[in-house]
Amino acid sequence: MLEFLNIKIEVEKLSNILGKAEDCLDLKYLTTRIQYLDQVIAQPDFWNNPTRAYEVLQEIEYSIFYKHEQYQRWCSILEDIKAALELLELSADEQLWQEAQTNLTQLQQELETAEIQQLLSDPHDKKGAFLTIISEVNNADAQYWAYMLLQMYWRWAKSHNYQFDLVAISEGNRAGINYATLEITASYAYGYLKSETGIHQLQEISPFDVTNSLGISLASVEVIPILDESVDWEIPEKDLEITWPLHRGNVNRPQIWVKIVHILTGISVFCDQERSLMGNKEKALAFLKSKLFAIALAQGVQVDKIQPRLIKSLSNNLIREYILHPYTKVKDLRTNVETPAAVEVLNGKIDLFIKAYLQQLNHTTSVTQEALDNSE
């Protein structure tokens, strides 16, 4: 009975959230905007400007699928839950009860995701992401910690039904990895994961030390947006140094890796997970372009104006502590959000840290903008 009442309370909360969402989304405006954009597409010169055309198509997709239709589906799920609860008050039905609980959990998760998406206003937030994890020290503990982080983000992406692929990986000498790069191609992957850029610190009893001493391991995480068709830019061939294996190995273990160095900046990328040499070359070029674009963005210059001497790691600040001994706790040092559920976090439950970071970032941006407005 208590569980039934708790669900009714949650349903009432979700009804209020959806009511606020309707005001926030301004569905009448969305409908009008979609109709206008449809007229823009119908113009005979629409495809003359590919960049603008891509932006229009992206806006329509976002307005329809991430706002308008999504809201209608949420309302439908909520009505189904309410109808099920009314029937359950009249007669017990285990199957209907399980269905109502499943729908409630799904709706809660989707509204939580939508709430986070409301905080993503940067133009690059909608893009996919390249996520690179690097062991900060060349020893087994640090390398295994880098591997644990790779698993954490792999599980996080899987739990969100995001498409993800391994771009490159270098295994450690005894265990774990020296580094690895993931490509996550889902919408908003960068907006979510930009909160993860920085140094991640682990405190635990070393599994590789016979004295069972307490150790500290460090690994850096770097997240950059994947460039799409809206960015019309190619790296001049003369600025690239491309290396691949002189010997292709054997049939059972072919050597098809590709390494590309941007001569002007010294930035290098590596790819070895595609099925062909050309596939690895294309993926490495895409990764390099995204990385150079991110550096240029950080320096506030055009890509061809990047200052090599000013290039700094995008991930050189300690941002989060993971403590597994003598107690369990994960704490984000930027937002002070913490949880004792360290095992759950390492299993991919990192949304609480992502949400807190985005809320802080959004608040800081609003305060800064207000101060600028007042100064004017």
Side-chain angles (χ1 to χ4, degrees), residues 10 27 107 119 191 204 250 252 271 347:
E10 286 301 314
L27 298 181
L107 187 56
L119 302 172
E204 68 166 352
N250 55 52
N252 295 323
C271 183
N347 280 328

Side-chain angles (χ1 to χ4, degrees), residues 41-57:
I41 291 177
Q43 298 299 315
D45 60 346
F46 175 70
W47 294 105
N48 290 351
N49 186 340
T51 301
R52 172 57 181 157
Y54 179 82
E55 291 172 350
V56 170
L57 294 176

Side-chain angles (χ1 to χ4, degrees), residues 29-178:
Y29 166 76
L30 282 180
T31 302
T32 303
R33 181 65 178 168
I34 291 169
Q35 291 172 347
Y36 166 73
L37 293 176
D38 282 339
Q39 293 175 359
V40 172
I41 291 177
Q43 298 299 315
D45 60 346
F46 175 70
W47 294 105
N48 290 351
N49 186 340
T51 301
R52 172 57 181 157
Y54 179 82
E55 291 172 350
V56 170
L57 294 176
Q58 284 286 89
E59 183 179 353
I60 290 178
E61 180 185 8
Y62 174 64
S63 297
I64 294 175
F65 294 105
Y66 288 95
K67 288 190 174 182
H68 196 275
E69 288 189 3
Q70 193 175 52
Y71 174 78
Q72 300 297 340
R73 193 171 63 81
W74 289 336
C75 290
S76 177
I77 293 174
L78 185 61
E79 291 305 313
D80 288 344
I81 297 172
K82 288 180 178 179
L85 292 179
E86 290 177 1
L87 291 173
L88 287 167
E89 283 185 305
L90 299 174
S91 175
D93 184 321
E94 183 62 27
Q95 184 176 350
L96 189 60
W97 171 245
Q98 293 295 332
E99 184 180 325
Q101 288 181 307
T102 300
N103 285 340
L104 179 64
T105 300
Q106 177 187 346
L107 187 56
Q108 287 172 322
Q109 291 174 345
E110 291 191 17
L111 287 176
E112 174 74 12
T113 298
E115 186 179 359
I116 295 176
Q117 285 184 357
Q118 291 295 321
L119 302 172
L120 301 176
S121 57
D122 187 276
H124 301 292
D125 286 343
K126 297 178 186 177
K127 292 180 168 61
F130 284 115
L131 183 147
T132 300
I133 303 161
I134 302 173
S135 168
E136 287 292 291
V137 181
N138 186 25
N139 63 35
D141 286 312
Q143 290 166 350
Y144 190 67
W145 171 226
Y147 175 69
M148 289 171 67
L149 287 175
L150 175 63
Q151 287 187 309
M152 183 180 79
Y153 293 119
W154 192 284
R155 290 165 180 161
W156 176 86
K158 189 174 182 180
S159 70
H160 284 73
N161 296 317
Y162 282 178
Q163 180 179 341
F164 53 94
D165 295 292
L166 196 59
V167 174
I169 189 166
S170 170
E171 296 182 358
N173 297 325
R174 291 177 58 192
I177 58 173
N178 292 307

